[in-house]
Every structure is written in structure tokens, then in C-alpha cells.
């Protein structure tokens, strides 16, 4: 079973109420070969919500207490991101996910790139909170770009 970011399956769950539809991923969900997940909604956020970025590091640093996730107005939302990451890990274990495809650049889901924490559109190498937790637990995490290269 594959676990995928809900926004990639066309669900309007992103911070701004949009989706990032990937037709191949949506097809897998419709064929019951993949389940959808949104770590941010599982963490307690609603849609829409303020954009957030990791300040002072990456998802691994957040899990280690060395960095935090802050929304654009300056509110520390780290705990909600951590809560969503652990809920996603439980779901991945529950469905025995062999791979998880998450939305690149997200402070939750980015698997190789995230925004730099300056709310200026610049990206850095690094994982989001959920990707970092899943990888720490031996679960393979890839982005939608890697999915397209590998599986299509």
C-alpha cells in the first residue's frame, strides 16, 4: 500500500485551500492502491490556514527540539506539526505502507526541499517534520517528482 499527500490526490487541503493534483496519484487512490493523508489536518489545522515555515533548521531539527515551525504571523505551531507527523506515522504503520509520497517543499511533507523560514519563497535542502519522522522509523518517503521519475 502507498500513502500519499491528500493534496496530490486533488483534495483541497493545502494552507490556501487549493490542491496540487497529480493525475497518476489520484488514479492510484481511485483504484484503492493508495490512501491519502494530510499531516497538517491530522495535527489540528484547518483549511485555509496561514502558511508556515521551519525556522532554525529542518524537520529533523524540529523533532530534536533545535528548530521550530512558525506561521507567517509569528505564531509557534511546532506542536501541531509534531502531532500531525506522529499521526501520519501511525497511519503508515496501520496500512503497512511500503512507500509514502509527500508534497515537496512543505514544512510537513518536504522530503528533500523546504522553504528557508524567511517567507521569501527561497528553498533549502532539508526535510519537513513528517518526512523526517517517517524516515527515522524506516519508512521510505519520496516527493511527487521522485514518484514521477520512479514509477511512471
Amino acid at each position: 500500500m502507498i500513502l500519499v499527500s491528500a493534496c496530490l490526490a486533488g483534495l483541497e487541503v493545502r494552507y490556501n485551500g487549493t490542491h496540487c493534483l497529480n493525475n497518476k496519484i489520484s488514479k492510484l487512490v481511485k483504484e484503492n492502491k493508495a490512501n491519502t493523508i494530510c499531516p497538517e489536518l491530522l495535527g489540528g489545522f484547518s483549511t485555509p490556514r496561514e502558511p508556515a515555515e521551519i525556522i532554525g533548521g529542518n524537520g529533523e531539527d524540529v523533532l530534536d527540539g533545535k528548530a521550530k515551525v512558525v506561521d507567517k504571523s509569528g505564531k509557534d505551531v511546532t506542536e501541531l506539526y509534531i502531532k500531525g507527523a506522529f499521526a501520519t506515522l501511525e497511519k503508515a504503520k496501520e496500512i503497512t505502507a511500503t512507500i509514502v509520497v509527500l508534497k515537496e517543499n512543505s514544512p510537513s511533507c518536504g522530503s528533500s526541499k523546504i522553504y528557508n523560514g524567511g517567507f521569501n519563497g527561497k528553498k533549502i535542502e532539508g526535510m519537513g517534520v513528517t518526512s523526517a519522522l517517517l524516515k527515522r522509523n524506516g519508512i521510505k518517503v519520496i516527493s511527487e517528482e521522485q514518484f514521477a521519475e520512479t514509477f511512471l
Side-chain angles (χ1 to χ4, degrees), residues 25-85:
I25 289 174
S26 179
K27 185 173 184 268
L28 288 176
V29 172
K30 288 176 184 159
E31 294 170 349
N32 292 317
K33 294 178 182 172
N35 284 331
T36 61
I37 195 104
C38 178
E40 293 174 17
L41 293 184
L42 289 175
F45 288 101
S46 60
T47 303
R49 58 191 168 274
E50 278 203 67
E53 296 186 9
I54 297 173
I55 308 289
N58 59 37
E60 291 178 310
D61 298 318
V62 171
L63 293 172
D64 293 338
K66 299 175 184 172
K68 59 187 177 179
V69 188
V70 176
D71 69 20
K72 196 167 185 176
S73 65
K75 180 180 176 192
D76 185 337
V77 291
T78 304
E79 289 307 313
L80 294 176
Y81 275 82
I82 292 172
K83 178 182 174 188

Side-chain angles (χ1 to χ4, degrees), residues 7 9 11 16 35 43-44 46 56 78 85 89 115 120-121 124 132 143 145:
C7 62
L11 299 173
N16 59 2
N35 284 331
S46 60
T78 304
L89 175 61
Y115 286 98
N120 56 16
I124 58 170
S143 69
E145 288 100 353

